């Protein structure tokens, strides 16, 4: 590759990062073309048509109001979704609309402040700052940038001090994070049962001790075919609870096609992360997904992902627990498909790689998994 190209690209990335204004800053400046650093090669994967009846219920919607009265049935629904498509939506999930609506509105408000107000939060100082605003966490690692800006907050187990948070989200983010974590804990109970384990098993492994709240803002894109909102990836967590507004654009890779995960009023999206796929020995699927660039002329899309994981502060400060396929799941002649790893090692691999389209989990597969796909 001609080194002049790399030099130019690095200069352009730095110039963009130095504005601290993110993609929203480009749009406000009136760009009519997508700058080269955001260009993605065309994706040959076909998009499933909305008219395809089989896709209409590809991502199941599960009513958690029935989780007590009819637990076996809800466990069966969750098992089927986690094992096949890796995604489901939940309604009657117990997170009040006051918090979901409030969270989306707060994230929108923050991102729509003047650039100078947001610049104070703009940083890539990941270990030190628990609250970080930036555009593209992997800007300098990935081959192409995404058309979105992000406010990251490590929200559990130790929430940030109120003054660490932008004023716009201060009154809602900690409460939303706590509610999303409670929901994740009850979903982990259902998933434990779905794997034939004690209800407290996954929770007891620390799968929701830590919660990162990642709030995404997808500005309108002048050339949506040239780039993406979020490049294809699977989530580096045990479980993700995703709140999306009504714009749409999230797609999961199912059967070799991109299938919409449509906005459902009042619902939250739940998806299996890489670490749950690993500890479930591949029974539950961490499915790749992406967000297309926002095709709207004037309205931004907002989403809030709550990533449930171990308490990362604790895991990196001690030698680190090893996570591998749960013993009961490999007892019945099903050989381990993944090697054990610490969450810190897994994340170092994931982050170092950037969103380059290769599943991070492949790096941890044992030969028995080679036949999986
Ligand atoms: C993510 C993600 C989807 C969305 O943040 O990992 O997949 O709709 N987000 O923003
Ligand atoms: Ni994701």
């Amino acid at each position: 590759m001609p080194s002049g190209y790399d030099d130019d690209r690095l200069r352009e990335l730095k110039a963009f990062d130095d504005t601290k204004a993110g993609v929203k800053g480009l749009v406000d400046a009136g760009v009519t073309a997508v700058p080269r650093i955001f260009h993605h090669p065309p994706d040959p994967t076909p998009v499933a048509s909305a008219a395809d009846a089989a896709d209409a219920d590809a991502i199941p919607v599960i009513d958690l109001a029935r989780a007590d009265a009819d637990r076996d049935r809800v466990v069966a629904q969750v098992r089927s979704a986690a094992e096949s498509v890796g995604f489901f939506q939940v309604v009657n999930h117990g997170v009040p609309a006051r918090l979901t609506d409030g969270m989306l509105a707060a994230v929108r408000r923050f991102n729509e402040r003047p650039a100078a107000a947001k610049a104070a939060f703009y940083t890539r100082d990941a270990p030190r700052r628990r609250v970080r605003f930036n555009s593209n966490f992997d800007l300098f690692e990935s081959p192409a940038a995404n058309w979105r800006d992000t406010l990251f907050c490590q929200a559990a187990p130790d929430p940030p001090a109120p003054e660490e948070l932008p004023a716009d989200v201060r009154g809602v983010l900690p409460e939303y994070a706590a509610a999303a974590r409670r929901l994740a804990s009850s979903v982990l109970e259902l998933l434990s049962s779905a794997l034939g384990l004690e209800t407290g098993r996954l929770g007891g492994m620390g799968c929701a001790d830590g919660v990162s709240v990642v709030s995404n803002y997808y500005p309108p894109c002048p050339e949506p075919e040239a780039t993406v909102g979020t490049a294809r990836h699977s989530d580096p967590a045990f479980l993700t609870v995703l709140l999306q507004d009504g714009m749409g654009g999230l797609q999961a890779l199912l059967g070799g096609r991109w299938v919409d995960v449509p906005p459902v009023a009042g619902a939250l999206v739940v998806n299996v992360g890489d670490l749950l796929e690993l500890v479930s020995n591949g029974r539950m699927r961490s499915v790749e997904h992406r967000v297309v660039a926002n095709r709207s002329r004037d309205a931004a899309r907002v989403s809030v992902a709550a990533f449930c994981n171990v308490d990362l502060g604790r895991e990196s400060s001690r030698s680190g627990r090893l996570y591998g396929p749960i013993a009961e799941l490999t007892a019945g002649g099903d050989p381990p498909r993944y090697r054990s790893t610490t969450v810190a090692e897994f994340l170092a691999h994931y982050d170092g790689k950037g969103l380059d389209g290769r599943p991070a989990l492949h790096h941890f597969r044992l030969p028995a998994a080679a036949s999986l796909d």
Side-chain angles (χ1 to χ4, degrees), residues 5 8-9 12 34-40 144:
Y5 172 79
D8 284 354
R9 176 175 170 80
E12 287 168 30
V34 166
R36 191 171 61 155
I37 55 171
F38 295 91
H39 283 191
H40 285 249

Side-chain angles (χ1 to χ4, degrees), residues 187-212:
V187 171
L188 285 170
E189 292 185 355
L190 295 168
L191 290 166
S192 297
S193 300
L195 289 168
L197 304 167
E198 298 281 321
T199 51
R201 187 59 184 278
L202 290 169
M205 293 169 62
C207 301
D209 285 0
V211 176
S212 304

Side-chain angles (χ1 to χ4, degrees), residues 233 235 289 307:
H233 69 283
D235 289 350
H289 50 284
F307 294 112

Side-chain angles (χ1 to χ4, degrees), residues 87 148 150 214-218 229-231 233-236 240 242-245 248-251 261 269 271 289-291 301-307 350 355:
F87 269 81
R148 67 145 199 268
T150 300
V214 176
S215 304
N216 295 305
Y217 184 86
Y218 298 92
T230 297
H233 69 283
S234 54
D235 289 350
T240 304
L242 180 86
L243 165 63
Q244 62 171 336
D245 69 10
L250 173 62
Q251 298 176 329
V261 182
V269 177
N271 67 285
H289 50 284
R290 70 171 186 178
V291 179
R301 173 178 186 265
V302 173
S303 72
V304 180
F307 294 112
Y350 188 98
L355 297 184

